[in-house]
Structures are given as C-alpha cells and as structure tokens.
Amino acid sequence: MQQALTRKLESFEPLSDQARWALNGLVLKVRQVDARQDLIQEGDKPDNVLLILDGFACRYKVLPDGQRQIMALLVPGDFCDLNVFILDEMDHSISTISTCQVVDIPRQAIDEITVHHPSIARAFWWCSLVDGAVLREWLVNMGGRPPAQRIAHLLCELLMRLEAVGRVTDNSYAFPLTQTEIADTMGLSDVHVNRTLQELRALGLIHLKYRVLTILDVERLKAFCLFTPNYLHLRNTRWGERRALSWPGRAQEG
C-alpha cells in the first residue's frame, strides 16, 4: 500500500531511491476506517495532512436542505488537500466511500521532506496543480456534457488515475460507488444514473458487477465522451508523455 503514494508522485516527477525511502518514512501509522465515515468535517481545524493509501474517499458539502454534492473522488495515493493545515478551519468535509487505509501526516513532516528533497517538493506541487485541473474539468463535465458522456468521462478519468497507482487489471478496477454516490457526484438523480449505466452497458462500453467496473473498449469509451486526459498531466504512464523533464539541477537531487 505504501507504494501508492510513490507511484502517483512518480507519474509526475522521477524520484531517486533516497526520495522513495523518505516517502516511506511518512507512512508510519496507518489506520483502517470503515466505509462512509467522516475523516474530517466542515468547521474542524485541520492539524494533519490525510493520505489515502487504499480505498475510495470523497470531498463533499451538504446544502441546508440536506442535499449532498461530492466535489472530488480520492483514490489510493491521493492527499486530502496537501496544504490544508494552513487553513483555520475546513470549508468542506471528507468521507470514506469504501473501507480505507488512511495515514495522518504531521505538518512538520511535510515541511521537512520538501526542504530536504526537491524532487518530492516538485511532485507535491504537481499534486496540488492537478487537483485544481481535475476540479476545472469536473466543472466542464457538469455544465457542458449530457449525462451519459458525463458519467463515461468520470469512468475514463478513474481508469487513468487508478492505473497510475497500480490499481487496474485488464481495464478493470474497484468501483465501490453506489448509484446515489454517482448521482451526488454528477448532479443527477438516482433514476437518471441507473438509466445512464444501462445505456453504457447496452452500447458494450462497460461491465459493472460485484463493485468491479470493466471498460470493455477504452478507445470507444473515450471517443464516446470526447475524453482528453491532458488535464491529469500524467507523464510517466502509458497515458502520458514519457519524456525527461527539464528542471534545473535534476542530477543533484537530494
């Protein structure tokens, strides 16, 4: 499980053995949290950075009428807001969707590892920038795509994010979201989600059974929703550009 963080960071930035060893030092106390439990709530003071090592979690807000909007899905290797400890209080809540392995990383540990390992600092910047890019793409998805394309786009995104951390086999991955959770994510009703999933199945694009989703034809699904993965900025995966970066002083990584 510890490899999820390293694999994610290395999809953005090559890391030395020394940097990988330092990252393993962040993952010392792992706790298991049951499904659908809040890790932190809106209004709480964030003292540590939360890291998801296994399972699915989400970022969400609840409206006064009780309606929930999921604003981000968090998968293995994801931080729940890398710089959140700078804030006085949380402006949203974070909850598990499935059973999760979670690490609480003290602020001091984040400060120290970024000072001593420039490549890790750069990878952390990438994480924060990509979080923003994903949120922008979700806004486009919600406002500009019809429901079937909206859900198909999310499934393509999860395929690539999960493959980057080694959680995909033959285009299949764990998919613990209920139809209600998909609805809360996509701004749709449960009934609309059900119909849309049936449509994607009927088109021969996906298979979903026992909480495992298989994309039967990745290229067709991408074409169906006009998916372009550039916003994920995955460099060192089959979806990204495999090229050396031009950061100054790369050979002097410490």
Side-chain angles (χ1 to χ4, degrees), residues 2-60:
Q2 286 88 339
Q3 293 181 352
L5 175 60
T6 302
R7 289 190 66 155
K8 175 180 177 176
L9 296 182
E10 288 196 309
S11 69
F12 304 133
E13 172 80 11
L15 300 175
S16 66
D17 290 341
Q18 186 180 6
R20 294 189 197 98
W21 181 85
L23 284 171
N24 288 337
L26 292 179
V27 186
L28 296 177
K29 295 182 180 179
V30 181
R31 58 188 172 101
Q32 180 167 301
V33 182
D34 291 338
R36 295 167 183 87
Q37 301 294 315
D38 280 338
L39 298 175
I40 191 166
Q41 295 183 330
E42 185 172 356
D44 289 350
K45 178 177 175 55
D47 294 321
N48 298 318
V49 174
L50 299 176
L51 169 66
I52 305 298
L53 278 187
D54 193 43
F56 276 56
C58 67
R59 202 184 331 272
Y60 75 93

Side-chain angles (χ1 to χ4, degrees), residues 111-210:
D111 288 340
E112 289 178 355
I113 199 170
T114 54
V115 167
H116 293 103
H117 297 278
S119 65
I120 293 176
R122 289 190 293 267
F124 283 178
W125 293 340
W126 273 100
C127 287
S128 296
L129 291 169
V130 170
D131 284 348
V134 170
L135 179 58
R136 290 190 292 274
E137 191 67 26
W138 277 36
L139 290 173
V140 173
N141 206 26
M142 295 277 288
R145 296 186 178 104
Q149 289 186 8
R150 201 180 300 180
I151 291 178
H153 196 278
L154 176 67
L155 301 182
C156 288
E157 176 186 302
L158 288 174
L159 173 72
M160 296 183 186
R161 289 173 61 190
L162 288 166
E163 186 168 73
V165 293
R167 302 306 172 96
V168 173
T169 302
D170 296 329
N171 294 328
S172 296
Y173 56 85
F175 190 77
L177 280 77
T178 65
Q179 290 187 7
T180 296
E181 287 162 341
I182 299 172
D184 290 347
T185 303
M186 296 283 94
L188 301 169
S189 68
D190 290 17
V191 172
H192 213 152
V193 169
N194 182 272
R195 290 174 179 168
T196 300
L197 291 175
Q198 293 295 341
E199 178 183 350
L200 295 176
R201 287 190 182 102
L203 290 170
L205 295 173
I206 67 168
H207 177 74
L208 179 59
K209 189 174 184 180
Y210 302 129

